[in-house]
Amino acid sequence: MTGIEELLRPELRGRSPYGAPQLDVEVQLNTNESSYPVPDEVVAAVLAELERDLGGLNRYPDREFAELRSALGTYLAKQSGIHPREESIWAGNGSNEVLQHLVLAFGGSGRTALGFTPAYSMHPILTETLGMRWVDGQRDATTFDLAVDSAVTQAKGVDPHLVFLCSPNNPTGSALPFDVIEAMLVAAPRALVVVDEAYAEFARPGTRSALELVADHPRLVVTRTMSKAFTLAGGRLGYLVADPAVVDALRLVRLPYHLSTPTQTIARVALEHADALLGTVEAIKTQRDRLVGELSAMGLAPVPSDANFVLFGGLADAASTFQGLLDRGVLVRDVGIPHHLRVTAGTPEETSRFLTAMAELVPTHAARKETP
């Protein structure tokens, strides 16, 4: 009898699924979720709306999620000063599904996607599992920056059909120089250029959003999520802004009625209470900056961050430090970059727990510095 492994598509054999450890520890700082619960007033408002909806679950949800698109447009106009048309907005069950829709519509066999490592690991996973060729572009090996000249040279050499940019970048946390985005639109003339802005709300003052360019560039797509700043990781709502022709193409590949009525309601009510939900963003940014400062003082090498997490290097062995933190009740993320770990900015108490644990570990876990 033929084994399941032999029935599996050849390109999937031997692969590991995406997933961060979900462990029952006191301090969970590994998946960039918010450590703050949804405010009671928002919970009450969502429950009231859901109670109204439940009796109508015998009917399919609004396939075009019109009210949600309107609410997303209103939020973006207030948050960024940019007023996207409703026909330019698309949503899915988390930004991963939105990204999947893009690859389904604009990728496929015989086409190539380009990204710049280290970046969000789902970009190559989505493209390769859906039949595209992935090209692993590179950033500066020390700073993890992506310079315009380097990005342009790499793009011209690949001539991709899809380009993935991440700003702020995950896992490094740094925002992308704005001219890289503009240059990529020229250097990759047949590509859909996707800028993943999942952490945009945490960016430091003065950081520009690619939303500024969408109206003038029909091949530019900006994706965002409500999982991070909106404290709604469990709600699973991501969205994008793009030319209406791109949105029309996504209708060809989405599953029927892909956004459930409860999902649409939760997201819409959350957007109506955006000020309450985003009220913790500044507190999280304070802890993020605290992490950068105190890790630097320990002699480690954190990367200045525009996200809600900090990547830090200077470790002799990342896996050993990861385990040492876990033994002390603190879960962080090993993202596979040698000598580095990533930690989410949590509450002040959680940040203190992490920093106390790191202070205990540094004497034996920091990489030895070579003397001149």
Side-chain angles (χ1 to χ4, degrees):
M1 181 179 291
T2 302
I4 296 300
E5 182 75 10
E6 295 174 349
L7 298 176
L8 190 64
R9 285 164 45 202
E11 63 269 27
L12 297 183
R13 295 172 190 168
R15 296 184 69 111
S16 299
Y18 173 87
Q22 289 186 307
L23 305 177
D24 185 15
V25 298
E26 292 182 17
V27 181
Q28 298 181 25
L29 301 175
N30 68 322
T31 53
N32 303 336
E33 304 156 307
S34 174
S35 292
Y36 295 91
V38 177
D40 289 343
E41 65 183 272
V42 182
V43 172
V46 168
L47 285 173
E49 289 292 303
L50 285 175
E51 186 175 15
R52 186 195 66 180
D53 290 340
L54 291 178
L57 290 184
N58 58 306
R59 300 295 185 185
Y60 285 116
D62 175 11
R63 185 172 53 224
E64 293 301 312
F65 43 95
E67 291 185 9
L68 174 57
R69 291 166 82 172
S70 176
L72 285 166
T74 299
Y75 164 69
L76 288 173
K78 182 178 180 180
Q79 189 262 345
S80 67
I82 297 160
H83 300 254
R85 294 178 289 172
E86 290 181 24
E87 57 267 32
S88 295
I89 298 172
W90 185 254
N93 294 285
S95 59
N96 287 327
E97 184 178 56
V98 169
L99 292 167
Q100 183 185 59
H101 288 165
L102 289 168
V103 178
L104 284 168
F106 296 96
S109 178
R111 294 193 169 196
T112 300
L114 170 67
F116 298 92
T117 300
Y120 184 36
S121 61
M122 278 304 296
H123 295 159
I125 289 173
L126 283 169
T127 53
E128 290 182 324
T129 57
L130 292 173
M132 287 193 82
R133 170 177 172 253
W134 172 263
V135 174
D136 209 11
Q138 298 299 307
R139 295 168 174 266
D140 183 278
T142 302
T143 65
F144 306 114
D145 291 336
L146 181 60
V148 173
D149 291 347
S150 174
V152 167
T153 298
Q154 294 182 71
K156 287 182 176 179
V158 173
D159 190 20
H161 300 85
L162 273 173
V163 174
F164 289 95
L165 301 172
C166 213
S167 185
N169 188 47
N170 178 14
T172 65
S174 51
L176 196 66
F178 205 71
D179 49 1
V180 170
I181 302 170
E182 296 175 305
M184 194 57 57
L185 288 162
V186 177
R190 66 172 178 173
L192 198 71
V193 177
V194 182
V195 182
D196 188 333
E197 291 191 347
Y199 300 92
E201 286 89 351
F202 297 102
R204 287 170 289 185
T207 302
R208 297 173 67 184
S209 167
L211 289 171
E212 296 178 28
L213 300 173
V214 170
D216 296 323
H217 295 279
R219 291 185 293 108
L220 178 64
V221 178
V222 179
T223 65
R224 289 198 172 190
T225 182
M226 295 181 70
S227 293
K228 311 302 181 183
F230 272 87
T231 75
L232 285 179
R236 310 309 301 131
L237 197 289
Y239 59 100
L240 63 73
V241 179
D243 188 271
V246 172
V247 173
D248 282 342
L250 303 184
R251 291 186 174 90
L252 301 174
V253 298
R254 59 102 176 264
L255 294 175
Y257 311 103
H258 70 289
L259 281 179
S260 72
T261 296
T263 296
Q264 293 185 41
T265 295
I266 291 169
R268 178 178 53 77
V269 175
L271 289 161
E272 292 172 358
H273 293 79
D275 289 345
L277 287 166
L278 297 175
T280 59
V281 166
E282 290 304 317
I284 292 169
K285 290 166 66 175
T286 296
Q287 297 309 307
R288 173 199 68 196
D289 296 341
R290 178 188 171 197
L291 286 167
V292 172
E294 296 199 27
L295 287 170
S296 295
M298 292 181 195
L300 298 174
V303 179
S305 177
D306 286 283
N308 68 338
F309 58 83
V310 173
L311 179 76
F312 63 99
L315 303 173
D317 180 73
S320 176
T321 305
F322 173 90
Q323 187 60 51
L325 289 166
L326 189 58
D327 292 341
R328 289 163 174 78
V330 180
L331 179 62
V332 297
R333 187 73 178 270
D334 186 343
V335 294
I337 302 175
H339 312 295
H340 289 73
L341 292 171
R342 191 192 72 192
V343 57
T344 306
T347 64
E349 294 76 19
E350 290 173 332
T351 303
S352 294
R353 281 284 301 274
F354 164 75
L355 290 169
T356 297
M358 278 306 307
E360 295 173 359
L361 291 168
V362 160
T364 54
H365 286 250
R368 293 183 179 179
K369 297 182 179 179
E370 296 182 4
T371 55

